[in-house]
């Protein structure tokens, strides 16, 4: 199985399982403060990992592809949408929405990620992929309709969908820098988003929890947000944005399963109908095959790689033969045909 698919599944599992745990904390920690603690736990944990890894690295390891100055605007936008606005909207939505329903509503992140990738960032798609997204959208609408209040607007569902839109923008902006170090990207996003949300919470006069609950929130954030984002960035490198979003759509099913076991939620008919629709949509994505003659334009970049058919270059340093490794390298123009997805080497037009 493609390593990108495994990374996307790992991202989905870690994030999906965090939703019911965050739901447990919503009643005890204010939403803005909880969002801050989740991201601070993610950022602190990942930057410690980043630092320890850097100290233990040897010159022969090749290091990692660090962020460049040109990456900063994309990173800032990703932090704004995905690290600040998205978590606050999710915590607000969780405060009035059953965790199992919230978990399935989070499938909308994959849908919105893909729509932005296709129509704004011009990533390719076909009818099979589009039909799969329609089924996932239909499942989300069924779920939102079932949990609407007797009178008024389903604000909880709308807040969660708003969070998904923010994360969809975040995912597409992060794709622009996905060839860089995933741990560094996720760690910086966590620290920046956590600090901003903490500042908002303090400005609002929100009471912060004790050390024990804060540490628990930080642990949930490290596992469910930090590690998930690291895996997600790795998947973006190998699958592109829309495909990664599609595989990531299993996250709500993980969260829903944990919710049913842990919190005792009782789902209605709409929950199961939405699950079938979303499952069918995900299956269409998982079984996609894309192949045609395509042209690789000349390009130069740095990322972790092996010497496969796309990496037949020379080295301007003494190479010990260890793979994978990281260094700046150049791709010459090439035309060929093979199954592929919009990874960092296949972002061509159709």
């Amino acid at each position: 199985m493609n390593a990108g698919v495994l990374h996307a599944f790992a991202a989905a599992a870690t994030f999906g399982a965090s939703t019911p745990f965050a739901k447990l904390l919503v009643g005890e920690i204010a939403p803005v403060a909880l969002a801050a603690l989740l991201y601070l736990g993610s950022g602190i944990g990942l930057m410690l990992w980043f630092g320890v890894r850097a100290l233990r690295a040897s010159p022969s390891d090749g290091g990692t592809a660090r962020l460049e100055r040109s990456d900063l605007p994309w990173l800032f936008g990703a932090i704004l949408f995905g690290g600040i606005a998205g978590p606050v909207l999710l915590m607000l939505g969780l405060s009035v929405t059953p965790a199992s329903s919230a978990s399935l509503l989070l499938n909308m992140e994959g849908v919105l990620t893909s729509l932005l990738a296709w129509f704004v960032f011009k990533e390719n798609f076909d009818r099979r992929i589009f039909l799969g997204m329609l089924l996932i959208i239909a499942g989300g609408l069924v779920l939102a309709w079932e949990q609407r209040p007797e009178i008024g607007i389903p604000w909880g569902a709308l807040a969660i969908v708003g969070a998904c839109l923010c994360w969809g923008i975040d995912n597409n902006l992060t794709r622009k820098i996905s060839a860089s170090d995933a741990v560094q990207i996720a760690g910086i996003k966590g620290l920046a988003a956590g600090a901003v949300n903490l500042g908002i919470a303090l400005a609002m006069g929100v009471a912060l929890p004790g050390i024990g609950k804060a540490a628990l929130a930080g642990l949930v954030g490290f596992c469910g947000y930090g590690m998930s984002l690291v895996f997600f960035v790795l998947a973006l490198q190998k699958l592109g944005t829309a495909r990664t979003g599609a595989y990531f759509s299993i996250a709500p099913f993980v969260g829903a399963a944990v919710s049913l076991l842990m919190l005792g939620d009782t789902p209605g008919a709409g929950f199961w109908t939405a699950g079938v629709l979303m499952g069918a949509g995900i299956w269409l994505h998982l079984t996609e095959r894309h192949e045609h003659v395509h042209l690789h334009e000349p390009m130069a970049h740095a990322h972790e790689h092996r010497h496969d058919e796309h990496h037949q270059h020379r080295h301007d340093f003494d190479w010990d033969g260890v793979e994978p490794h990281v260094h700046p390298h150049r791709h010459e123009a090439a035309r060929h045909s093979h199954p592929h997805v919009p990874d960092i080497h296949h972002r061509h037009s159709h």
Side-chain angles (χ1 to χ4, degrees), residues 20 53 72 146 162 250 261 269 273 281 319:
R53 189 187 60 184
L72 297 183
E146 183 192 49
I250 71 165
L261 293 173
T273 302
W319 177 44

Side-chain angles (χ1 to χ4, degrees), residues 139-298:
L141 291 175
V142 168
L143 199 61
W145 179 261
E146 183 192 49
Q147 66 96 46
R148 75 192 190 286
E150 291 286 333
I151 300 175
I153 301 173
W155 292 113
L158 290 178
I160 294 171
V161 172
C164 292
L165 176 60
C166 289
W167 284 322
I169 297 172
D170 170 17
N171 293 336
N172 279 278
L173 296 180
T174 301
R175 181 206 186 198
K176 296 287 188 178
I177 56 175
S178 61
S180 300
D181 187 345
V183 176
Q184 184 184 27
I185 293 171
I188 292 174
K189 288 175 70 173
L191 284 179
V196 171
N197 279 302
L198 182 60
I200 294 172
L202 293 175
M204 294 172 59
V206 173
L208 299 179
I211 296 296
K213 289 180 180 177
L216 180 58
L219 179 61
V220 173
F222 174 72
C223 297
Y225 284 54
M227 292 303 302
S228 177
L229 181 55
V230 170
F231 289 129
F232 195 92
V233 173
L234 292 173
L236 285 175
Q237 294 178 9
K238 299 175 177 66
L239 299 176
T241 313
R243 273 75 174 176
T244 299
Y247 287 108
F248 189 77
S249 293
I250 71 165
F253 291 98
V254 175
V258 174
S259 296
L260 295 175
L261 293 173
M262 189 175 73
L263 303 181
D265 286 347
T266 303
F271 174 90
W272 299 111
T273 302
V276 170
L277 289 169
M278 291 176 172
I282 292 169
W283 177 80
L284 286 173
H285 278 263
L286 293 174
T287 54
E288 178 220 7
R289 181 181 175 87
H290 181 76
E291 181 175 1
H292 62 90
V293 176
H294 55 276
L295 173 66
H296 290 272
E297 299 287 351

Side-chain angles (χ1 to χ4, degrees), residues 7-59:
H7 287 140
F9 282 154
T14 49
F15 180 74
S18 74
T19 301
F21 287 97
K23 175 70 175 179
L24 287 176
L25 294 169
V26 164
E28 302 183 34
I29 306 174
V32 176
L34 180 56
L37 293 171
L38 289 170
Y39 269 93
L40 282 174
S42 164
I44 292 171
L46 290 175
M47 292 312 292
L48 286 173
W49 176 11
F50 179 78
V52 170
R53 189 187 60 184
L55 290 173
R56 296 182 60 185
S58 63

